[in-house]
Amino acid sequence: MAGRTFSHRRRVIIDTDAKNEADDQFAIVHALLSPSFDIRGLIPAHFGNRRTRHSLEESRAEIELLLRLMKLDGQVRVADGAPYALPDARTPVPSPGAELIVEEAMRDAAEPLYVAFLGPLTDMAAALLMEPRIAERDLTVVWIGGGGYDGRGPQDGRPEFNLSNDIAAANVVFSSALRVWQVPAPTYRMTAVSYAELDAKVAPYGEVGDYLVRQLVEWNEREHGGSIEFRVLGDSPAVGLMLHPDCGTWVERPAPTFRYDGGYDFSAAHRPIRTYDSIDARFIHEDFFAKIRAFAEGR
C-alpha cells in the first residue's frame, strides 16, 4: 500500500473475527498498509454466538467498512468463512474462505503463503479436511489464540476466547503436519497501548485513523465500564511476526491436543510447533503508527 516497493512479496491471507472486539481492526489495517505483503484475501470469521447470532455477517460488514474508509473497496478479495464451528474434528464446514486458502496453498508460487488467524481456526481446519495436501505446501499458520504454557496466564478453568469458539478446529490444525506459529494469550496481552498514544499517533490520520480509535474507546466503555484508558491490541502480533518472525522470543514444543476446558494435553505425539513467549510491541506499534501517518499524508 504505502512506502517502499518490493520485487518479492510474501503472500498473506487474514482470517478475522473482525467485529468481535476492537483490535482486529488495527491488525487488518496494518496488514493492508504493509508493502511487503501481497494480500491474497480477507476472510471474515465467526466468533461464536455468545454475543450475537450473526457474528460472521458482522465481521464481513466491519471488513467492508474498513476497506471503504481506506478507499480500497472492490480492490481486495473478501471471502466469507464458515458461519459456525466445526461439528467435530472430521467434518469440514465448506466456505468461500476455506476454498481461498486451498486455492492459494495449492498454487505454484515463488513466495510462501502465510495465513493469519485472529479468531478461531475453523477455516484452516476446514481447508485441511477438504484438501489434506495443503499440509505439504509452503504454508505457515499464524494463530492468535490458546492459553499460556508452563503455568503462565490466568488459571480460571475457561478456554481462551479464540480457542473456545472452535476447539475441534484447533485440534485438527495442531495434530496436522502444518507449520504453526502460535501466539498464546499471555504473549498477545503484552501489546497494550494507551489512549494518549492512540490520540496522538492514530486518530489524526484520516478517516480510518479516527474510526480505529473511536470504535476502540466505544467498545471499552460499553464492555468494560469504569475507568480504563488503554487497550491491548492483541491481534497485531500476527502482522508483526509476518513482517519480522523474530520480533519476539519463541520455543519449539510438541503440539498439544486441546481439552474441552481449554487446557493442554501432551499425551499424543504431534510434530513441533513454534510458540511465542514474548513479543516486541514497540516494533509492531511504531511500524503501524508510521504507516498510517504515511497513508494519510499520501506518501
Side-chain angles (χ1 to χ4, degrees), residues 128-257:
L128 184 62
L129 291 168
M130 290 160 55
E131 177 48 271
R133 291 180 299 167
I134 66 175
E136 304 165 8
R137 307 294 286 180
D138 191 358
L139 185 164
T140 300
V141 175
V142 185
W143 183 43
I144 304 292
Y149 291 87
D150 304 322
R152 295 173 65 233
Q155 307 297 314
D156 57 10
R158 293 183 298 173
E160 183 272 338
F161 186 79
N162 289 344
L163 170 64
S164 73
N165 283 322
D166 201 338
I167 293 175
N171 280 329
V172 170
V173 172
F174 273 56
S175 65
S176 75
L178 285 165
R179 185 186 306 121
V180 173
W181 298 353
Q182 181 192 8
V183 184
T187 305
Y188 69 65
R189 289 175 182 146
M190 295 177 177
T191 56
V193 63
S194 72
Y195 287 0
E197 189 167 26
L198 292 173
D199 286 340
K201 297 181 177 179
V202 178
Y205 297 112
E207 287 184 281
V208 71
D210 174 75
Y211 174 72
L212 287 174
V213 178
R214 179 161 40 84
Q215 61 88 33
L216 179 150
V217 172
E218 290 172 355
W219 196 93
N220 272 359
E221 290 182 349
R222 184 174 64 250
E223 299 294 334
H224 283 282
S227 299
I228 184 170
E229 55 176 284
F230 75 94
R231 174 72 194 180
V232 171
L233 300 183
D235 291 314
S236 294
V239 179
L241 292 175
M242 291 188 293
L243 289 168
H244 174 28
D246 287 326
C247 79
T249 60
W250 52 272
V251 298
E252 281 199 341
R253 66 179 80 234
T257 299

Side-chain angles (χ1 to χ4, degrees), residues 15-34:
D15 189 294
T16 166
D17 54 348
K19 196 58 176 175
N20 170 44
E21 294 187 31
D23 51 335
D24 289 72
Q25 293 87 338
F26 284 79
I28 294 165
V29 173
H30 194 175
L32 291 168
L33 293 177
S34 295

